[in-house]
Structure formats: structure tokens, C-alpha cells
Amino acid sequence: MIAIVDYGVGNLFSLTSSLKSLGFSPEVTADPDRLRAAERVILPGVGAFGDAKAKLDATGLVPVLREESKKKPLLGICLGMQLLFDRGFEYGEHNGLGFLPGVVDSLKPDLNDRLLKVPHMGWNSLRIRRDDPLFKYFQDGEYVYYVHSFYAKDCADSTLAVSDYGGVAVPGAVRRGSVWGTQFHPEKSGDAGLRLLKAFGEL
């Protein structure tokens, strides 16, 4: 069973449907016992960093996630990935989960081309920097789907793959131990994204 953490930050239908199409058994839950029983955990997320972290804190699940992330694969997706880092600077400074060293900051000031639109939205090529089981069925340079205005920084040691946007090497996939994250949405990234989710489900 793959537990999808439910803390009120987005429509989880497409992620659930994608996992079911791959033959997995996803369960959207906020029950600590179900998270403990799961073989893998996915932390999704859309919206603003501070608001999402506050909602996650309110569930009381943070200690459970911290405990379980040491025992089994955990995947953060989009804002869920950003929450894995130490701090986020979206509308102020907010503490993250601290599962990965680094911070999440605004993309726009770091772009070489200030005329590029933010959010970074749409398809972009993902370049693998470090081999990982997550890429078991994924080829270097395949296209994945992004929607974000903030990105992870100061996280070179955990960066698995990047996508270039306006001269910024946006960390698209990260890992530390049994914790993975993707800034892009695998469930919206067509066949390439499904293959990545399949690899996660087999970790």
C-alpha cells in the first residue's frame, strides 16, 4: 500500500488514478496508523509553503512522517518536495520539515532572462546528474511537467536531476537516504512520469 498524505492541500485524484493505473494500491489518508502500515508514503502539495506547513502541523502527522521516513521510501511532490527542506521564504520565513538540507526561495530574482514568465509552468527536460533507482525506467533528457514559482537552493548534495529555466538549474529530483522529492508533477508528466512513479513504487 502507498499512503498519500491528506492534509487539505489539493486535489489528489490524478495522483491516485496514476498509481492505480500502474497496479499499486494508493490510499489517501490522515490516519497515523495507516501511514505506519504503508510500504511507501507520498507527500503531495500545492499552494503556499507557510500555509501548507501549518496545515501539515495541524494534522499532528509530522512526528509520524519523521519516524516513517527513516524506515520506508517517502516521496514529496511539488510543494510536498519543498516542505522536505529546512526553510521556505514564500510570504515570510517558515520552517520546513528538515528532512533535506537546503532552502526554498523565489525563482524570479535568479533568472538570467527577467522576461521569462514565473511561475515556471509547462514541460521541461530533466537532466540526470546522479544515477538513482528512481530513474530505473526514465531516460536522461525526458520531459516532465512543472508548475512552481519557488525552488530549492543550497541542496547540491541531494540533487539527483535538474531542469534549466532561464539559466537556473532547478532541482527537479532530490534524495537523501530514503527520502525523495520531485519539483515536477510525475502524475501530470505523461508516460515518463508514470515510469518514474512505477520505479518509486518498486523501491
Side-chain angles (χ1 to χ4, degrees), residues 34-51:
R34 296 308 292 158
L35 292 181
R36 293 188 181 101
E39 295 171 279
R40 294 160 195 83
V41 177
I42 295 180
L43 180 66
V46 294
F49 190 106
D51 178 58

Side-chain angles (χ1 to χ4, degrees), residues 46-127:
V46 294
F49 190 106
D51 178 58
K53 181 56 165 49
K55 288 181 177 178
L56 186 58
D57 286 341
T59 66
L61 293 176
V62 171
V64 180
L65 290 173
R66 183 165 282 112
E67 170 191 330
E68 294 305 306
S69 71
K70 298 172 184 175
K71 305 175 184 177
K72 65 189 63 166
L74 182 147
L75 174 67
I77 294 176
C78 196
L79 180 58
M81 172 188 130
Q82 295 181 358
L83 291 176
L84 299 175
F85 288 94
D86 293 321
R87 294 188 310 284
F89 294 95
E90 187 172 2
Y91 307 117
E93 182 176 346
H94 312 277
N95 288 326
L97 291 168
F99 293 180
L100 297 170
V103 300
V104 176
D105 212 341
S106 179
L107 178 60
K108 192 171 184 64
D110 294 341
L111 296 176
N112 291 339
D113 182 354
R114 296 300 178 86
L115 297 178
L116 274 179
K117 291 183 178 179
V118 174
H120 169 207
M121 183 166 64
W123 297 88
N124 204 337
S125 175
L126 186 69
R127 310 302 312 198

Side-chain angles (χ1 to χ4, degrees), residues 10-198:
N11 180 6
L12 306 178
F13 177 77
S14 59
L15 178 57
T16 303
S17 298
S18 294
L19 290 167
K20 284 181 178 178
S21 75
L22 292 166
F24 298 119
S25 301
E27 181 178 322
V28 178
T29 182
D31 183 339
D33 290 335
R34 296 308 292 158
L35 292 181
R36 293 188 181 101
E39 295 171 279
R40 294 160 195 83
V41 177
I42 295 180
L43 180 66
V46 294
F49 190 106
D51 178 58
K53 181 56 165 49
K55 288 181 177 178
L56 186 58
D57 286 341
T59 66
L61 293 176
V62 171
V64 180
L65 290 173
R66 183 165 282 112
E67 170 191 330
E68 294 305 306
S69 71
K70 298 172 184 175
K71 305 175 184 177
K72 65 189 63 166
L74 182 147
L75 174 67
I77 294 176
C78 196
L79 180 58
M81 172 188 130
Q82 295 181 358
L83 291 176
L84 299 175
F85 288 94
D86 293 321
R87 294 188 310 284
F89 294 95
E90 187 172 2
Y91 307 117
E93 182 176 346
H94 312 277
N95 288 326
L97 291 168
F99 293 180
L100 297 170
V103 300
V104 176
D105 212 341
S106 179
L107 178 60
K108 192 171 184 64
D110 294 341
L111 296 176
N112 291 339
D113 182 354
R114 296 300 178 86
L115 297 178
L116 274 179
K117 291 183 178 179
V118 174
H120 169 207
M121 183 166 64
W123 297 88
N124 204 337
S125 175
L126 186 69
R127 310 302 312 198
I128 297 172
R129 285 191 169 176
R130 191 172 300 159
D131 193 28
D132 190 86
L134 193 65
F135 304 130
K136 180 178 180 180
Y137 306 114
F138 191 94
Q139 300 298 314
D140 183 40
E142 291 196 82
Y143 280 75
V144 293
Y145 191 81
Y146 287 91
V147 185
H148 67 111
S149 300
F150 287 72
Y151 78 111
K153 300 172 68 171
D154 305 329
C155 57
D157 288 348
S158 61
T159 299
L160 297 177
V162 301
S163 291
D164 180 81
Y165 192 67
V168 175
V170 174
V174 295
R175 177 190 179 184
R176 187 184 194 191
S178 56
V179 175
W180 283 261
T182 62
Q183 179 61 70
F184 58 90
H185 286 272
E187 77 281 9
K188 296 180 180 178
S189 296
D191 185 63
L194 288 178
R195 283 184 269 111
L196 191 137
L197 284 175
K198 180 181 180 184

